Amino acid sequence: MSNRQVRSNLTPLALAVAGCVWGAAAAAQEAPVAPSTGAEGQIQEVVVTAQRNASAESKTPVAMSVIGGEALAGAGLDRPSDIGARLPGVAIDGAADGLRITIRGVSNADATEKGEPSAAFMLDGVYIARPHGQNIDFLDVERIEVLRGPQGTLYGRNTTAGVVNVISKAPTARFEGAAGAEMGNHGSRRANAMINVPVTDGIALRAAVSSNRRDSLLRNEQGTPHTLGLDRNADAGRLSAKFALGQSASLLLRLDRTVQRDNNDVIVPDTNFYEGIETGNPTPFDASTAKRLTNAFVPPNMLPEQGHSRRESTGLGAEFSWDLGPATLHYLGSHRRFDHDFLVNYYYRIMPGFALGVRQDFEGRYEQDSHELRLATNGKGPVSAQAGVYWFREEMAQLASFRDLELIGLPSYYVFPSDPVTSYSRALFGQMTWSATERLRFTLGARRTEDRKSRYGSTNLQQQAVFNPATDIALPNAASLATSKTTWRIGADFDVNPSTMVYATVSTGYKAGGFNDGCVAGPACPAFIAVPEDTLVYRPETLTSYELGLKSRFWDKRASLNLSAFRYAYDNLQLSGVAMVQGVPRFVTSNAGAASVKGLEIEGAVKPVPQGRLSYTLALLDAHYLAYSPDGVHSWAGYKLDRAPRAVFTLGYQHAFALRDGQLSAGVFARRSSDWAIGVPSQLLRYTVPSRTQTDLSLGYQPAQSPWSVLLRVKNLENKVEPVNIDSFGMTVPSAPRAVALRVDYRF
């Protein structure tokens, strides 16, 4: 679809919806207030920390969505890749190489040790750098805050798309506990438990554990007895302790541990979904869900092995707050370690109509430390401010080995050792809000970030698994890079009335630059194997966002409406894929030129009766390249960005029915998305994912005054699947089919 076509389809609808929304807001302001129905019939306010201090969501001038822990459990959303379908303008996918977050068309495809994400994923405010360590099971979650748009001032680097912050429940002064178990199709079974114990008036402890199992969602027709991936085998635990240090200070410590032992063979060939790939024009075709989820590829060159994956993540975090009177001092620190090893069998298409089987062995170790010290003013004066310093360090070592590539002229082992790969970041930031009047506020913020990255490793052409200097070749991968950027935010917000706020912001985002495989000519890099510096290094990508928003509660607080209209100026977009460099395939990232992103998002809820709640979202998006040539010849100007559907609409309704002996609750949630695209620039391929509707159902029952409850859930009632990700070789990760589960919970 051309740029002109997208604009002609989007603009009238956007204007019409905007006009209706603004009209409704004005009517809500002028209409007589209905008699109060009581708090049970109102939209409950949510307190968030999107601007690093506690505030009501309806009074926070940021485009954001919030999902509470109870809503997550009720909908069966138990890991980050589940929540994107519930949010406007957001796609969160569990790709083969880790979590892929796309917000308003801004995404990233480089999950290697040298890549950086476009959206920051955080656990209790701590940035988790590696995408393959992010798709962890939710455990005793208070809420999830998803901020859309660049958040470079308060959250820093790699937030050009936005922020996903998973916030765990902290220990409280109340003794309580809970336990639950569920079973479903595909052999799924899950159990979790939590207990909170106040030890003394100033000390409270909280522990939570979970175990999650599911058989493979894929069918193996390769002629081997092996099981395939899209399975689950995860155990997680967290221990938290909160200490009151006198009357003015507190300390919260968290220790978490996750072990995932599943199968990384999560792919099927793209020919399960598309035909005409050999012509350069992949066209979707109809097929059964069973066929989509079947891997029938029989490699002509090797026999697949049993795939496996082991991920172990351990984190220790500390939060300290000290009320000094005029201001509060906050410290947030963390140390995290992530270990990952796997064996995966690839579908590796080397030319149209012909693919090889390739085995990859991988071992990786990742450690990161982060520290933030922040001072925030207290009180209700006309000026509120916060300022702080931030420091981050990550060190990685990994060994990736590919086999079975002899048919394309490579030796038996194609190996990438990297040790060490280091990343340092430090920042100084501050933000101030001035209340010019009781209803009008102005905000100004800035952040100075300095990044340093280095890598030492090689691309090895080996005859055996162990490198032999006498017979093997090692091509150095050595580079270092220092980049810096000042990001800023200017905003104003105005209370139209006590329950309606409008805001306007201009903000910037920054994603660090990086380097590809190879080295620049020098003493350790002979000229005949060197690559040009402009090929080795790619530049940071930057984004400037212009946004207008409205947040309103009306109809006696029985209805809510959040609206945001935005436009981005997006430069040096980083795009990644596999390309041939010096006769061998390498993963290459380059800057794409420029892109345009603009759209409209609506999110809200209505309680027509105290026992019922209707929720809705609408996202309209025009995200396309302004200038980009993948190969220097063909132009992709006007093509849509990846995972950027033109329109997405969701509608959900939850109702509680009072029975004599208890309460029955029923819910339905439906999502309708227009078509969207997955681009593979290195192959000049663009895959269109057709429009789709997906429906989820739930039915629950709780006896009167009983700690027990039971819940039946159906996800993806239509039982349709679609590609989640397609890589440069045609390896496709499919979405999940229909899932049915019965859950029992006990609380005390």
Side-chain angles (χ1 to χ4, degrees):
M1 180 178 292
S2 70
N3 175 25
R4 181 172 298 174
Q5 288 172 320
V6 170
R7 192 161 46 234
S8 65
N9 289 334
L10 174 61
T11 305
L13 181 57
L15 292 175
V17 172
C20 292
V21 168
W22 282 98
Q29 179 182 359
E30 297 171 1
V33 177
S36 175
T37 59
E40 71 278 0
Q42 298 179 347
I43 302 295
Q44 298 301 307
E45 188 63 83
V46 179
V47 176
V48 299
T49 53
Q51 293 197 309
R52 310 302 305 277
N53 51 27
S55 62
E57 184 276 330
S58 64
K59 298 298 183 182
T60 303
V62 176
M64 64 180 300
S65 298
V66 184
I67 306 178
E70 292 187 4
L72 291 170
L77 310 177
D78 56 9
R79 65 194 316 180
S81 54
D82 291 339
I83 67 173
R86 301 275 172 147
L87 308 173
V90 176
I92 304 179
D93 303 311
D97 52 5
L99 198 67
R100 183 158 301 170
I101 303 172
T102 305
I103 302 178
R104 296 174 172 176
V106 179
S107 188
N108 174 66
D110 187 356
T112 68
E113 81 287 354
K114 54 190 176 56
E116 302 283 358
S118 296
F121 180 87
M122 296 185 169
L123 179 61
D124 297 316
V126 173
Y127 173 66
I128 298 180
R130 295 301 104 202
H132 41 277
Q134 296 172 352
N135 204 23
I136 56 179
D137 288 358
F138 293 143
L139 181 63
D140 197 27
V141 171
E142 176 70 32
R143 67 186 182 278
I144 300 176
E145 299 180 5
V146 180
L147 283 60
R148 301 185 294 275
Q151 307 296 326
T153 301
L154 293 180
Y155 291 91
R157 62 200 286 266
N158 303 338
T159 60
T160 51
V163 172
V164 177
N165 191 11
V166 179
I167 301 170
S168 308
K169 290 185 177 180
T172 66
R174 174 187 175 188
F175 177 75
E176 60 178 337
E182 69 178 61
M183 296 186 66
N185 61 338
H186 309 297
S188 66
R189 55 268 190 211
R190 176 180 171 87
N192 62 280
M194 174 278 298
I195 187 167
N196 186 97
V197 180
V199 180
T200 68
D201 289 342
I203 302 176
L205 303 177
R206 191 179 187 97
V209 294
S210 73
S211 181
N212 201 328
R213 302 288 186 273
R214 185 185 66 199
D215 297 340
S216 173
L217 300 179
L218 301 181
R219 297 172 55 185
N220 184 359
E221 291 188 2
Q222 296 181 291
T224 70
H226 306 144
T227 59
L228 300 181
L230 291 184
D231 58 328
R232 298 281 289 274
N233 186 336
D235 298 301
R238 179 187 301 114
L239 179 62
S240 307
K242 189 170 185 178
F243 305 89
L245 307 177
Q247 298 295 317
S248 58
S250 66
L251 174 66
L252 174 59
L253 301 177
R254 290 188 175 102
L255 175 65
D256 64 85
R257 170 78 171 169
T258 297
V259 178
Q260 297 170 299
R261 299 182 185 275
D262 47 26
N263 190 338
N264 226 36
D265 279 340
V266 298
I267 58 94
V268 298
D270 54 1
T271 52
N272 281 23
F273 291 86
Y274 298 91
E275 57 190 5
I277 298 169
E278 65 279 358
T279 68
N281 185 31
T283 303
F285 66 87
D286 291 330
S288 67
T289 295
K291 182 176 180 179
R292 304 282 203 210
L293 298 175
T294 297
N295 189 348
F297 170 63
V298 179
N301 62 316
M302 51 82 78
L303 183 66
E305 297 182 33
Q306 176 61 62
H308 64 81
S309 174
R310 178 186 62 86
R311 300 176 180 90
E312 295 186 359
S313 176
T314 304
L316 176 63
E319 296 181 41
F320 173 74
S321 295
W322 185 11
D323 187 344
L324 302 174
T328 298
L329 182 67
H330 300 272
Y331 167 78
L332 176 63
S334 174
H335 173 78
R336 300 196 65 85
R337 173 163 176 160
F338 176 67
D339 295 283
H340 190 197
D341 69 73
F342 64 76
L343 166 65
V344 63
N345 298 277
Y346 282 166
Y347 170 85
Y348 191 102
R349 187 170 53 241
I350 60 173
M351 59 185 298
F354 183 71
L356 299 177
V358 173
R359 289 167 291 178
Q360 183 193 0
D361 299 281
F362 179 90
E363 295 179 4
R365 184 189 74 252
Y366 311 85
E367 292 193 63
Q368 66 169 67
D369 294 278
S370 61
H371 303 275
E372 181 186 84
L373 192 64
R374 181 172 58 93
L375 189 66
T377 59
N378 298 326
K380 299 183 179 296
V383 176
S384 62
Q386 56 183 307
V389 293
Y390 176 80
W391 183 86
F392 172 85
R393 177 184 183 274
E394 182 184 24
E395 183 169 315
M396 300 162 275
Q398 65 179 44
L399 177 66
S401 177
F402 298 85
R403 295 175 278 164
D404 314 306
L405 287 166
E406 291 88 346
L407 287 182
I408 64 171
L410 291 176
S412 301
Y413 290 83
Y414 184 41
V415 184
F416 292 85
S418 296
D419 186 9
V421 182
T422 59
S423 177
Y424 296 89
S425 182
R426 59 184 182 181
L428 177 68
F429 64 93
Q431 183 164 297
M432 179 182 69
T433 298
W434 171 50
S435 297
T437 70
E438 291 185 357
R439 301 167 63 183
L440 177 63
R441 295 163 294 276
F442 295 96
T443 297
L444 176 64
R447 187 184 191 104
R448 178 65 178 179
T449 302
E450 297 180 352
D451 290 315
R452 290 188 292 121
K453 301 172 68 175
S454 63
R455 177 193 190 205
Y456 180 78
S458 59
T459 299
N460 295 354
L461 307 179
Q462 301 177 194
Q463 304 302 317
Q464 301 293 332
V466 178
F467 184 80
N468 184 346
T471 59
D472 301 334
I473 298 174
L475 305 175
N477 293 325
S480 61
L481 179 68
T483 58
S484 60
K485 183 70 176 179
T486 299
T487 52
W488 48 266
R489 176 186 181 91
I490 300 174
D493 56 278
F494 177 74
D495 293 331
V496 178
N497 61 35
S499 59
T500 300
M501 176 187 70
V502 294
Y503 64 91
T505 61
V506 182
S507 56
T508 61
Y510 155 72
K511 176 179 163 184
F515 32 76
N516 295 303
D517 295 340
C519 55
V520 176
C525 183
F528 72 92
I529 63 171
V531 298
E533 185 172 359
D534 59 356
T535 301
L536 179 66
V537 175
Y538 53 90
R539 300 183 298 279
E541 66 178 28
T542 59
L543 185 155
T544 302
S545 167
Y546 305 87
E547 186 157 347
L548 297 174
L550 175 146
K551 293 190 175 185
S552 181
R553 302 294 183 267
F554 53 96
W555 195 22
D556 195 26
K557 298 184 179 180
R558 291 159 57 187
S560 67
L561 171 69
N562 293 348
L563 179 148
S564 58
F566 55 89
R567 185 184 185 104
Y568 291 172
Y570 200 178
D571 292 318
N572 292 326
L573 175 65
Q574 296 171 7
L575 294 179
S576 306
V578 174
M580 298 300 293
V581 179
Q582 297 176 328
V584 295
R586 300 193 182 191
F587 195 82
V588 176
T589 297
S590 60
N591 295 104
S596 170
V597 178
K598 56 186 176 182
L600 177 72
E601 295 165 348
I602 300 172
E603 182 177 28
V606 179
K607 288 183 69 68
V609 294
Q611 301 81 17
R613 179 187 174 98
L614 176 74
S615 60
Y616 60 91
T617 71
L618 174 65
L620 305 175
L621 183 65
D622 174 7
H624 61 273
Y625 299 107
L626 292 176
Y628 177 45
S629 177
D631 60 353
V633 177
H634 299 83
S635 174
W636 279 19
Y639 287 178
K640 290 192 294 187
L641 300 186
D642 283 10
R643 296 169 180 81
R646 182 175 57 87
V648 178
F649 176 68
T650 71
L651 190 65
Y653 185 70
Q654 191 83 20
H655 196 95
F657 301 89
L659 303 178
R660 184 174 60 182
D661 58 348
Q663 178 175 281
L664 184 72
S665 61
V668 58
F669 175 85
R671 180 181 189 269
R672 175 67 180 178
S673 172
S674 62
D675 62 76
W676 48 283
I678 298 176
V680 183
S682 61
Q683 305 298 321
L684 295 178
L685 292 175
R686 291 184 58 79
Y687 298 85
T688 298
V689 180
S691 58
R692 178 189 175 194
T693 299
Q694 179 173 318
T695 307
D696 300 342
L697 304 174
S698 65
L699 183 66
Y701 175 72
Q702 182 171 7
Q705 299 180 344
S706 172
W708 294 93
S709 64
V710 62
L711 178 66
L712 175 66
R713 291 193 310 264
V714 181
K715 298 169 66 176
N716 188 7
L717 180 67
E718 294 82 358
N719 197 31
K720 298 293 185 181
V721 298
E722 64 185 6
V724 168
N725 184 61
I726 306 175
D727 78 350
S728 302
F729 308 116
M731 293 188 290
T732 302
V733 180
S735 61
R738 181 189 298 128
V740 182
L742 180 65
R743 179 174 181 84
V744 178
D745 283 288
Y746 179 78
R747 300 175 180 85
F748 62 90

